[in-house]
Amino acid sequence: MAYLCNVDIGGTHTDAVVIDQRGSVTEAKVSSTPDDFSRGFFNALEQGAAKRDLALDELLERTEVVSHGTTVGTNAIIEGEGVDAALVTTRGAEDVMFVMRGGAAVSKGQSIEDVLSFRDASKPDPIVERKRVYGVDERVDCMGDVVVDLNEERVRNVARELARNEVDAVAVNLLWSFLNDSHEVRIEEILEEELPDGTFLTRASDLIPKWGEYERTTATAINAYIGPSTSEYIDRINDGLGERGYDGTLLVMQSGGGVMSAEDAVREPVKTIDSGPAAGIIGCRYLSERLEHENIIAADMGGTSFDIGLLTDGEPITQPNNVINQYEYMIRNVDVDSIGSGGGSIAQVDADTGRLQVGPESAGADPGPACYGRGGTDPTVTDADLLLGFLDPDHFLGGRQHLDESKARDAMSAIGDELGMSPEEVASGVFEIVTAKMADSIRQRTINRGHDPRKFVLYAYGGAGPLHVPAIAPQLDVDTVVVPSGDTSSVWSALGVSSSDFLYRQEVSNITTAPFDPAAVTDSFRAIEDELTERLRAEGFEPDEIDVERYADLRYQAQVHQVSVPVPNGRLDESDMDTVVNRFERKYEDLYGEGAGYTESGFEMVTIRCDVSGRTTKPNLERESSEGEAIPKTETDVLWPSEGRRLATEVYEGTELGPGMTVDGPAIVRMNHTTVAIPPEDECEIDQYDNYVIDIGGE
Amino acid sequence: MTTEIHEYLELDPDARTIACRKCGEEICDADANYKEHAAIRTGPITDAGPVFTPPEKIYDRDPDIEFRQFFCPGCAVLLDYEVVPADEPILHDLEIDVESLRG
Amino acid sequence: MPIENRGREEIDTSTEHTGSNVWEDFVQGYIPEDPIDIHPQLSLHTAYETDVDPVTYEVLRHRLYSINEEHGATLENVSGSPVAYFAQDFNPTILTATGEVVFQGPYIQFFSPIAELQAKWILENRSENPGIEPGDVFISNDTWVGSTHQPDVFFLAPVFREGELFCWVVNTLHQYDIGGSNAGSFCPGASNVFEEPVPIPPIKVVEGGEVREDLRQMYLRHSRLPQMVGLDFNAQVAGVNVARERINDTIDEYGAETVKGVMHEVLDDAEQKFVRKLEQIPDGTYRGRAYMDGSKTGDTGIYRGEVQIHKEGDTLTFTNENTAPDKDAINCTYAGFRTAIMSVLNPFMMSDAMWVSGGPLRHIEIETTPGTMTHAQWPSGTSNGGTVSVPFVIHLVNNAVNRMLAASENLKRNIITGQNAGGGAVAQAGIDQWGEEFGTMNLDCMSGGIGAAPHRDGVDTGGQYWAPKAPIPNMEHNEQDYPILYLYRSEVPDTGGPGERRGGAGMDYCWKPHKTEQIENVFAASGVLAPLSKGISGYPGGNGRFDVVHDSDVEERFAEREVTQDLTELEGDFERLHSKAHDVQRPDDVSVIRNGGTPGYGDPIERDPERVADDIERGLVTEAAANDIYGVVVERDGDEVAVLDDATEARRSEIRERRLAESTIGGEQ
């Protein structure tokens, strides 16, 4: 028996998932060990091994792939626990990470309610302290020409001061270095000479040679900030795996939508930030291939937030920049938007106007919904779900969390009194409102990008997703909702990592004007893809396991917006250049509306990108068909908001259902990590992967 | 019942006075302009900090701009400032309708 | 679903239709009367549901707001022009059929309160001829009908439902160039409007869904860059079309009367929230005053602006007594004054009501004096409304509102001590490094400080509160598109006004022409002579500046591997320019412009000395200012700064003593 293992390190818990070649999944969960994350890593694997009656070494010897998703880097930034890092930059550009982009930095990543309020307006804490930012005299211009030669004496003085101050990591980013990296390379050489071995060094022209100094400096600085601690624990895990019998490469999940080797993760840890949501989307891609769905809206509803990602033509939509802690940095990532609607969203009545509102404030996990009995007194979406009858107080989360219905009722009544509504009416209203808000958010993110939601399938996961998303579907005219792989939707992220390909991605800016020289463009692509392919070969991938994808970001001349389009492989000719331009114009119109483009402006190619991927071993999720029919455990009255009344609703136990069975709505399926709601008139079929496929009828 | 009308000032609608919140010093009648009863220091705009340029270095004449600071006569807490041509009157920025507070 | 509670809007059709006095509007600025005079051939949808159930209300409120956000995203996406994008110089608005602002976007705030004026004027003066029909779109940039300045062009679309006008969807977008004597359409040298872009009162440029090519061409004909304006034209038409369609979809789903009922309740709620806040503010008069430096390029006059806010019960009356007469290039119209009011009141008082302007406007009276700088009469120059005049009025209103909120213990935390104490924009033109003609407004101007509050410091280089999402361009972006090379772009120490809470610092941007013969710079600003903002107590924020060294030795220094960071170190002719200036810059000429900081809040000698030490370490406060103004004495140990407690206490005592010793009490000599 061969295995795939994935370990997810979170702030509180470390989860392990062991998948065997028959598709059977074993989960393990331990506490994270922040003083040395590798301990929790192996503890989790050990627990997973034990559940299969194996010693850890036995498991690892038979494991084909060990993969890893981490929030260590993300948490380090959010909690301000990175190292004492320094930044070396062009003199005059020292304030780039303090000015940021002005006002946009204050509002970045915030809900609209917070954007409109200045009471708590602020910029985030620095990633690199101002006194650790060193400007050196040098200058390159927009054509890559050197305007001021590198002042090496200055560099050497800086290097000596860095050594004196014992900095742990140094980021180097000069203006226009992506066009001419000679100064950055020379600075790196001098730093290597003057600084102790083991100082973490990262330079922008290597990490992300793209146009735009703020987002590029931030990416480089973040890499330095989390570099030493991330690399330390990953190295330890890597060594530990080898010692315990694993002879493969440790694969680490990237926000970009693929995995990388531990060695790469150690060098470029900035790519691990927000890898979790990306993994979920890649899991959706893997599933969509099997289910032959082309266009998916992936909806993850948890306790505090509702995360939305899109896949079109079977591929996840990526965005060039990401945001963390109000900092925007340019590492391409799977685009997942987060809005403040979750199970913990608080329902309240506005003091001045008497209006019922739901969110964006959240009760979080602590104290959590009133019904959790942890001291929360605000009514939340979860309390509403309970009062409506969707949740069983004794069987929530597989019985691990008891729900106190009286507390939910009290909390909801307090609001009900102010509105002249019964607690059930309020609960129904809360459900409807949060549904409408999520539908609006999805609409904004599909229609506004030129996509018609009616052509999409909704994939629903997260603690509250499978309950709420089937109710959102009719509002978008979406007729299919898929709850992936039944009960493992809580370790969906882990499955996602296990189903990710190995990805090397490099983006390089060099702004040229149409007509583009096909030979020069070919050479530029080849320079990147040859190197990346070489690295994949070194990882052990055969040529037929390697895929190369080319993209170019174009813009209309002197316009701001860039659009990314695929570029043909191989040696390019003039007709290929025409193809690229046509694709750009068409996609621009799709995104921004007919007549939005203005050909007369002329075109510029700004950045080229190569995604070189190596196909990894994927888990087999196919199950055997179950015998028999779905038999409900019990029946309960549920107030379905869409119907406005209580209906007798059958309740099933997820562990008693399997592939091939069908369940007709109205019905509820209880699982260890979530609850699936199948609305009246809808039908649910469990497919051979244990997915719950809900056909949205009615409307 | 005194009302805070400024970080450092309170108004007593019954006694009809404005007083300093920090030291209690009574500054003036509630109907008056407290700035006219404050300790007033006048100087060039450069008194406001090293970052200010003397206006005569920008214009080729001296526009006679004054930097006025208004302090509590009791404890010297800073109440307000004005940056104005010297011949401009003191602005009555804070003119509370005392009757409405009493009513 | 039958609607139990029904209301009906009153439309007065009793008198004969005359519209407003159009030619008086064109001179004084249009001030709508109540009720407005609409031609009876235009039917308005007037029925609405009262008492919409709370759930439907919240669902529809969110939906309408979301539609407006989609509209805004359309503009943001399609308007690729750097000027519009980096300043977020556009905004979508939804208005009721009779022109009350229901929702506005979070982009530049100047436009939505003015959209009301445009919509009402169109209702009064276009309802008969040429008429208002389904599928129509009107455009206008006339500052006397309603605009901040001529580059801000309004696209207004009536939304019809079964032959009745249901509501308006509007967007406004700043056009880089729409004519006038200077490239970039800011004309700080103008003596009157005839030297500026032509004001266009509302014209119907899309008729029943078809673009009127003759009018579109005439509109584009005004511009030096008709292609770019054409692109934005498409964007703006697309925007209103999308919003119109979504609203119709929503009405299909929920019914016209219910949707209209929600609009009414949104407005009523906003009004309610505003009135509740007014109840916590004492009646009285609150005043703000500041001085405009120069009326046009070459002028060194100083012109007083003043705003008075008279609060009585639940009404605020705004006046502009003691304000200098209109003159040259520094004016805004009634519309500009009006919009400055809401640009302040929304962030200061309506954060919990999604900045719905229509609510507060029901309790605001404006009684400004025509013929003044802040209620200018035609043919005064108004092209600098956006960069000079409206921000100037915002300073005045901000200063007065600070005093109003300071008088309420509950509301004082809403104070924002100011917008950047001085600054403006530079329009640049010439031949770029690629050999092409270029023209732009440098959007570095959007990064002054955000003001402080009683409980927090200001935000250094935090932008403008009336454009909360605006991203300044990257230096590399400006250097790619324009023939400039930055020497530095930095936060400036001591520009954050001292206070117990420090004001937000401002920013310097310093550049020289690169790979071009010359750049023509036209600067339109205010607050270069003296700072304009005032918080509560505190010291002023550092104000704006425009300095240049002509014929400098910068290139010799480059050859010596030095990137100079201080213009005073350069050899050459150093000049401090005025707030309205025109300068031709050659490759050896180095210019620096400063966006000001914002005032402090509270007495600087009350500031926690540890914070001052942090400020010094951070490079935002100099040791001199720390000692002289904050009364904090420090010692340096490497790059660490430590407070000397005893010396600080002594210094602060000394400061207090000197304050009184150097003062005279009120009327005394």
Side-chain angles (χ1 to χ4, degrees), chain A residues 91-96 98-104 106-107 112-113 115-123 126 130-132 134 136-143 145 147-152 161 165 174-178 210-216 350-353 355-358 419 421 425 428-430 432-433 436-437 440-441 443-444 447-448 475 511 555 558-561 588 591-598 600-601 604, chain C residues 52 54-55 57-59 61-63 65-66 69-71 73-74 76-82 85-86 106 216 226-228 230-231 234 238 246 265-266 269 272-273 276-277 346-347 351-352 354-355 410-411 413-414 416 433-434 446-447 450 455-457 459-465 467-477 479-481 485-491 507 514-515 558 560-565 617-619 639-640:
Chain A
R91 189 182 289 282
E94 294 94 331
D95 282 349
V96 163
F98 296 90
V99 173
M100 299 172 76
R101 298 285 294 269
V106 177
S107 59
I112 185 64
E113 289 85 358
V115 170
L116 301 182
S117 171
F118 284 86
R119 275 215 177 185
D120 301 312
S122 69
K123 283 186 180 174
R130 183 61 178 83
K131 61 191 182 191
R132 288 280 166 265
Y134 301 88
V136 299
D137 298 88
E138 69 79 42
R139 198 53 148 88
V140 171
D141 73 6
C142 64
M143 298 179 180
D145 295 332
V147 180
V148 177
D149 287 319
L150 180 64
N151 187 324
E152 289 205 10
E161 188 166 335
N165 282 301
L174 306 178
L175 295 176
W176 298 103
S177 59
F178 59 90
K210 267 180 90 168
W211 184 46
E213 78 279 358
Y214 163 61
E215 293 85 357
R216 189 172 73 244
D350 182 278
D352 292 325
T353 59
R355 298 288 176 199
L356 173 62
Q357 288 164 345
V358 181
L419 297 166
M421 291 163 76
E425 284 173 327
S428 184
V430 167
E432 272 188 75
I433 288 171
K437 288 176 93 161
D440 281 342
S441 300
R443 210 178 279 118
Q444 271 191 44
I447 295 175
N448 237 48
Q475 294 204 14
I511 305 172
R555 65 173 189 161
Q559 296 291 293
V560 175
H561 298 296
Y588 199 96
L591 289 172
Y592 303 141
E594 211 182 304
Y598 215 77
E600 285 87 332
S601 310
E604 281 178 349
Chain C
V52 179
V55 177
Y57 170 80
E58 180 58 13
V59 167
R61 180 201 69 79
H62 195 268
R63 174 78 64 84
Y65 196 84
S66 185
E69 280 186 299
E70 280 179 62
H71 186 173
T74 306
E76 182 169 11
N77 288 336
V78 191
S79 147
S81 96
Y85 178 78
F86 290 125
R216 190 183 86 104
Q227 287 172 1
M228 234 153 100
L231 199 63
N234 293 344
R246 293 272 177 280
E265 292 189 20
V266 165
D269 281 2
Q272 169 92 301
K273 281 195 168 289
R276 285 277 168 95
K277 292 201 175 71
N346 269 337
S351 289
D352 55 354
M354 305 299 278
W355 294 9
N410 286 335
L411 294 179
R413 287 164 73 103
N414 289 4
I416 304 172
Q433 65 271 44
W434 317 105
M446 290 298 286
S447 70
I450 291 273
H455 59 291
R456 62 164 181 79
D457 284 351
V459 184
D460 304 314
T461 56
Q464 304 283 12
Y465 56 71
K469 293 178 17 142
I472 62 167
N474 271 312
M475 289 188 271
E476 285 176 0
H477 194 117
E479 289 190 1
Q480 171 66 27
D481 287 349
L485 190 88
Y486 285 89
L487 275 73
Y488 59 89
R489 199 168 78 165
S490 312
E491 294 185 322
M507 184 183 92
H514 186 66
K515 294 184 173 167
F558 279 4
E560 298 290 311
R561 305 183 192 217
E562 176 197 305
V563 181
T564 316
Q565 298 294 293
E617 263 186 42
R618 184 56 190 80
D639 46 30
E640 305 265 310

Side-chain angles (χ1 to χ4, degrees), chain A residues 140-200:
Chain A
V140 171
D141 73 6
C142 64
M143 298 179 180
D145 295 332
V146 174
V147 180
V148 177
D149 287 319
L150 180 64
N151 187 324
E152 289 205 10
E153 192 188 323
R154 168 73 179 144
V155 176
R156 215 162 273 282
N157 289 337
V158 168
R160 290 184 183 141
E161 188 166 335
L162 290 174
R164 256 197 316 276
N165 282 301
E166 297 179 323
V167 297
D168 298 307
V170 184
V172 181
N173 178 43
L174 306 178
L175 295 176
W176 298 103
S177 59
F178 59 90
L179 281 186
N180 182 339
D181 65 0
S182 56
H183 289 181
E184 275 193 8
V185 169
R186 185 67 192 124
I187 290 175
E188 195 177 32
E189 283 170 7
I190 295 175
L191 290 175
E192 277 166 353
E193 284 168 28
E194 300 283 345
L195 295 177
D197 288 337
T199 311
F200 190 95

Side-chain angles (χ1 to χ4, degrees), chain C residues 409-430:
Chain C
E409 208 178 318
N410 286 335
L411 294 179
K412 73 182 200 187
R413 287 164 73 103
N414 289 4
I415 286 172
I416 304 172
T417 51
Q419 56 175 354
N420 48 286
V426 66
Q428 306 186 282

Side-chain angles (χ1 to χ4, degrees), chain B residues 27-28 33-41 69-73 79, chain C residues 663-667:
Chain B
I27 295 181
C28 64
N33 183 357
Y34 76 87
K35 289 156 75 174
E36 286 173 0
H37 299 269
I40 307 174
R41 181 167 73 185
Q69 291 184 294
F70 302 86
F71 306 106
C72 167
L79 298 171
Chain C
S663 300
T664 56
I665 303 293

